[in-house]
Amino acid sequence: MAADSEPESEVFEITDFTTASEWERFISKVEEVLNDWKLIGNSLGKPLEKGVFTSGTWEEKSDEISFADFKFSVTHHYLVQESTDKEGKDEVLEDVIPQAMQDLLCMNNDFPPRAHCLVRWYGLREFVVIAPAANSDAVLSESKCNLLLSSVSIALGNTGCQVPLFVQIHHKWRRMYVGECQGPGVRTDFEMVHLRKVPNQYTHLSGLLDIFKSKIGCPLTPLPPVSIAIRFTYVLQDWQQYFWPQQPPDIDALVGGEVGGLEFGKLPFGACEDPISELHLATTWPHLTEGIIVDNDVYSDLDPIQAPHWSVRVRKADNPQCLLGDFVTEFFKICRRKESTDEILGRSTFEEEGREIADITHALSKLTEPAPVPIHKLSVSNMVHTAKKKIRKHRGVEESPLNNDVLNTILLFLFPDAASEKPLDGTSSTDNNNPPSESEEYNLYNQFKSAPSDSLTYKLALCLCMINLYHGGLKGVAHLWQEFVLEMRFRWENNFLIPGLASGPPDLRCCLLHQKLQMLNCCIERKKARDEGRKTNTSDNVTNTYPGDAGKAGDQLGPDNLKDTDKEKGEVGKSWDSWSDSEEEFFECLSDTEELKGNGQEGGKKGGPKEMANLKPEGRLIQHGKLTLLHNGEPLYIPVTQEPAPMTEDLLEEQSEVLAKLGTSAEGAHLRARMQSACLLSDMESFKAANPGCFLEDFVRWYSPRDYIEEETIDEKGNMVLKGELSARMKIPSNMWVEAWETAKPIPARRQRRLFDDTREAEKVLHYLAVQKPADLARHLLPCVIHAAVLKVKEEESLENISSVKKIIKQMISHSSKVLHFPNPEDKKLEEIIHQITNVEAIIARARSLKAKFGTERCEQEEEKEDLERFVSCLLEQPEVLVIGAGRGHAGRIIHKLFVNAQRLTESSDEAAAMAPAEEELKRTGSPEERRQNSVSDFPPPAGRELILRSTVPRPAPYSRALPQRMYSVLTREDFRLAGAFSSDTSFF
């Protein structure tokens, strides 16, 4: 066995040292990235200007590399600067230290308010960071840290890169970096110390100077002077002495039905809490040298009142609760609810209405009953009586989501005509507080596709929002909507026009719900006119037919009373007084157009112009100038015609879909043309009735004059005469105009089948309203709510005059108009709009909070007021604002007073620190030394102490080149950090 194992022991493994290791591959990848980013060589920039770290533009480039299977991200951070002239670059570069080393001594940008932590600690304008790619990964062991640092050092040496290269070690939250910067014959090591507990000897300047000097280890006996920059930051959190000026809504008064802190129709605005949580005062001593001041564990010369520079920043409350933001957000949440109104409130009130009449015979008799609906006295109590009666049947009054007082207040706000005994004549109610209709604010509804700010729809949206937030939430919304729908039916049945709606057809620029309400108003107008005509006709019949028969009376009337004849002809078809809703419903059940048209004809006559010339003219409006009929020379009369049917956008879309489905065949095209010519046929019939014996040419001369071409010709006698004929398109065989003319019968407009069946359309609208879920309703009205919120924001901004907010509002309007113009906008986009509104509200609330704290309104001197207003404006828009005059300026004195008051509150709350007024007075009038100590106590202990120590000393030997040295220190309550950059000469050491 031993003999067999001997050959095996002679076999050994051959290691190929020419193969690159993982470490070498990593270094190569770092070098490759530096080369790709062209960070090779020395590129000197201009000296840094003051404040450029905050005002300038920072950019970064990233790449990913790996060490074995551990991934690192490499990021290049740099300040964008104008390219400098390359003159003098050919000089001897050995004498030029890298740009980063020069920046260590630059004092123009100490303590930048907003910058990368390495920029704040070292004052660098350009650097590269290598950090673990995953947030959870960390380089924890010392050996791995040293390995990475040596990799960086080799990569910098191989490439000649003079940009500082940092490696992030330990957990990312600790922000620990080590790094290196290399130049020709020089090197800077970036080191860091991070502790939780601070050693006592390092809490003051003298202890930190000892660290700095020992680290430098300068062998020179008079040590070169150390330049010192110090900043102490004081935090003010207690605003109790300055109440938050926002008046919260009186919820109890609102729930009780009183209109107190918030009126219906007026949006709430402002933050419920102070949107400014803290004020940070930074007192800075920018240029000090060792020996000028004393700061040790026993005594300190660093009095914040005496600091030459004061700067202030405010810390904003994270997502402060804002009234307007909540107002819109809570309403938007309804859009995601699935319940119907019936599910929210219980059994349907509309079912109760149907159950009142159980017997089918009663239902049929009700349908065929021609008696008009009695018109009740118009008042709030009468309007909601029907709705209340039905709700009480299955729900007690105390269980109703809205009590009577609140409900009546809302209904009176929505329907102001209910307060008067007589209904208003106009259909639109205009509030004096609303902007004029020509103004940009008023016309916002065109962009948002909402509704005018004085319309019923707009007011309804605001009321539903108010109820959702303060009066029972979703149940209250469902209750009000149910009352609103019942009110709409009440107005339809009793011929009361809906207030707050512009007259005329539906405005397609508004939301669909607004169009539906306008459509219902059109129906009420038609029905009201028809019912009034019926009453007038009945009274006329009673008066005129007293001596004899109505038909005979109509025959005895002359041509001067044609208008009366039209109304009194009882024997010809369906006269005006024979129309009723129930009869119309049965009449519409017939489907054949020809049969319908003939239904009103006397004996179903259909003949040529000669037969029609014997008919009596009906439905004349006025004579058409001097035009006469071509064949009998009678004057041509313009007939009374039916108005075209108003359409909402969903009906237009439905009609276009039906027409599109007919296809492109000849039959489909013919049918489509016939469907679209209903209005033309009605006008032809009215024209024939008004002008017996007329021809198509006569109709065309009135209806479409361009299609009747007249030419001057010479007749047989040599006289110049006008001869006219139809246009080429009218002469096409079997064209739609000719077919319609042949089909048309002489029927006046009042006896034609209605182009606009107001009964059917009104019922369709009422059904549409009744089946809307609260979520559907919220979707319809959300544009109105956003519109109202934008108007409120603009109104509040105009009081504060904040330029940055003006820009945001313009962007918000532009964004909202794009989103809301599309049907069914995405929830995410709607949330963005609401978030923008809340942000603007918070900015305005912050401005008001700062103005209240700095007392801009209480300033008597105009100059001081302007200074403070400018200061407050800068606080809102800039990360940090310099206080002009430090502690002796206008703003400085106010800030000092704020801290003094806060300190007094703190002292008075501490029993041990409490003192009698006499003792306090004695202290105030004591020795100068005591008064000085008291002034120091005006401020709390600093929340943060920052120091920067700089010097230029030769390292490591006395004959080495003098190079910049820098150490930054920050001390807070729970954190102590030292960040040092120590340069050494690598040529003469």
Side-chain angles (χ1 to χ4, degrees), residues 571-573 598-607 615 745 751:
E571 75 279 7
V572 181
N599 201 22
Q601 264 315 89
E602 186 177 323
K605 284 185 182 180
K606 182 182 178 182
L615 295 174
K745 300 169 186 177
R751 290 209 310 272

Side-chain angles (χ1 to χ4, degrees), residues 301-442:
D301 283 331
L302 299 173
D303 180 0
I305 294 293
Q306 305 301 325
H309 289 174
W310 275 22
S311 56
V312 175
R313 67 165 68 195
V314 290
R315 184 176 176 186
K316 301 156 187 172
D318 297 330
N319 301 319
Q321 184 185 1
C322 294
L323 294 173
L324 183 63
D326 288 353
F327 190 76
V328 183
T329 303
E330 291 301 317
F331 189 72
F332 176 65
K333 288 179 182 176
I334 300 177
C335 298
R336 293 173 176 165
R337 301 298 293 263
K338 304 293 183 185
E339 304 95 330
S340 66
T341 307
D342 298 343
E343 289 168 349
I344 294 167
L345 296 178
R347 277 162 42 193
S348 172
T349 58
F350 299 103
E351 291 175 10
E352 295 291 328
E353 186 178 3
R355 290 179 187 178
E356 288 179 1
I357 303 169
D359 192 355
I360 190 66
T361 56
H362 290 181
L364 289 173
S365 64
K366 186 181 181 184
L367 281 173
T368 55
E369 182 65 42
V373 180
I375 299 176
H376 305 292
K377 185 178 176 182
L378 186 63
S379 67
V380 169
S381 58
N382 283 333
M383 281 197 299
V384 298
H385 172 71
T386 314
K388 282 289 182 188
K389 184 176 69 176
K390 293 177 177 57
I391 286 176
R392 287 195 193 106
K393 283 188 176 182
H394 54 80
R395 186 168 66 231
V397 179
E398 67 281 354
E399 296 175 16
S400 299
L402 296 178
N403 62 44
N404 286 339
D405 293 335
V406 174
L407 187 60
N408 287 342
T409 304
I410 296 170
L411 290 173
L412 198 58
F413 171 69
L414 294 176
F415 306 104
D417 59 348
S420 59
E421 295 296 325
K422 296 179 181 178
L424 300 175
D425 294 334
T427 60
S428 61
S429 61
T430 306
D431 194 351
N432 294 331
N433 298 328
N434 286 310
S437 58
E438 292 81 12
S439 70
E440 183 184 350
E441 283 80 5
Y442 185 85

Side-chain angles (χ1 to χ4, degrees), residues 707-891:
D707 283 306
Y708 190 76
I709 303 165
E710 289 184 325
E711 295 179 353
E712 292 184 350
T713 56
I714 300 173
D715 62 1
E716 298 173 354
K717 299 179 180 179
N719 297 325
M720 188 72 72
V721 293
L722 282 174
K723 187 178 181 182
E725 60 179 358
L726 294 174
S727 65
R729 76 178 184 120
M730 290 293 178
K731 292 180 179 178
I732 298 172
S734 301
N735 72 73
M736 184 50 60
W737 285 63
V738 174
E739 283 191 5
W741 182 257
E742 291 174 354
T743 308
K745 300 169 186 177
I747 306 173
R750 63 186 178 81
R751 290 209 310 272
Q752 293 174 9
R753 175 191 178 184
R754 284 180 282 174
L755 291 176
F756 177 58
D757 185 353
D758 51 75
T759 308
R760 183 176 60 185
E761 292 302 327
E763 289 299 335
K764 282 167 67 176
V765 170
L766 290 169
H767 175 72
Y768 178 86
L769 299 178
V771 299
Q772 292 297 298
K773 296 179 180 179
D776 302 327
L777 182 63
R779 290 271 177 197
H780 284 307
L781 294 178
L782 193 61
C784 294
V785 174
I786 291 173
H787 177 193
V790 170
L791 287 182
K792 183 68 176 177
V793 163
K794 289 188 77 172
E795 176 192 336
E796 298 292 334
E797 186 279 327
S798 63
L799 301 175
E800 304 302 327
N801 195 22
I802 308 167
S803 58
S804 60
V805 173
K806 282 187 171 71
K807 294 177 186 175
I808 298 172
I809 291 175
K810 283 184 180 178
Q811 294 170 0
M812 185 168 65
I813 291 174
S814 174
H815 181 220
S816 302
S817 61
K818 290 175 185 173
V819 172
L820 297 176
H821 250 288
F822 288 98
N824 303 319
E826 297 176 13
D827 284 3
K828 189 177 180 182
K829 292 181 177 177
L830 292 171
E831 285 171 353
E832 287 174 5
I833 295 172
I834 296 170
H835 185 62
Q836 285 179 327
I837 292 170
T838 309
N839 280 348
V840 173
E841 183 182 17
I843 293 171
I844 295 172
R846 288 184 196 116
R848 290 179 175 170
S849 173
L850 289 171
K851 285 182 178 179
K853 290 171 176 55
F854 283 93
T856 56
E857 301 301 325
R858 297 192 296 273
C859 292
E860 296 178 0
Q861 297 180 7
E862 193 64 31
E863 182 185 353
E864 183 179 352
K865 184 176 181 180
E866 287 178 5
D867 287 347
L868 285 176
E869 285 181 349
R870 198 180 305 115
F871 177 73
V872 167
S873 177
C874 292
L875 271 179
L876 286 170
E877 298 177 6
Q878 298 175 16
E880 193 169 277
V881 181
L882 191 69
V883 180
I884 300 171
R888 294 166 293 282
H890 299 313

Side-chain angles (χ1 to χ4, degrees), residues 573-584:
K574 296 170 72 67
S575 65
W576 189 278
D577 63 332
S578 69
W579 288 97
S580 74
D581 293 343
S582 56
E583 288 174 333
E584 176 63 6

Side-chain angles (χ1 to χ4, degrees), residues 583-592 596 753 760:
E583 288 174 333
E584 176 63 6
E585 288 167 16
F586 286 108
F587 185 58
E588 294 294 351
C589 287
L590 298 171
S591 59
D592 185 74
L596 284 170
R753 175 191 178 184
R760 183 176 60 185

Side-chain angles (χ1 to χ4, degrees), residues 647-719:
M647 302 279 274
T648 57
E649 63 183 28
D650 59 332
L651 294 177
L652 286 170
E653 188 177 343
E654 185 182 320
Q655 187 185 62
S656 63
E657 285 179 7
V658 170
L659 294 175
K661 284 178 182 177
L662 293 175
T664 55
S665 63
E667 186 180 353
H670 185 74
L671 187 56
R672 188 184 301 110
R674 286 195 63 183
M675 288 176 67
Q676 292 175 315
S677 64
C679 188
L680 175 67
L681 184 65
S682 167
D683 292 343
M684 283 182 172
E685 292 186 336
S686 300
F687 188 82
K688 281 188 174 182
N691 299 281
C694 61
F695 284 82
L696 177 60
E697 287 83 349
D698 298 311
F699 177 76
V700 170
R701 287 163 69 208
W702 163 62
Y703 205 81
S704 178
R706 291 183 181 180
D707 283 306
Y708 190 76
I709 303 165
E710 289 184 325
E711 295 179 353
E712 292 184 350
T713 56
I714 300 173
D715 62 1
E716 298 173 354
K717 299 179 180 179
N719 297 325

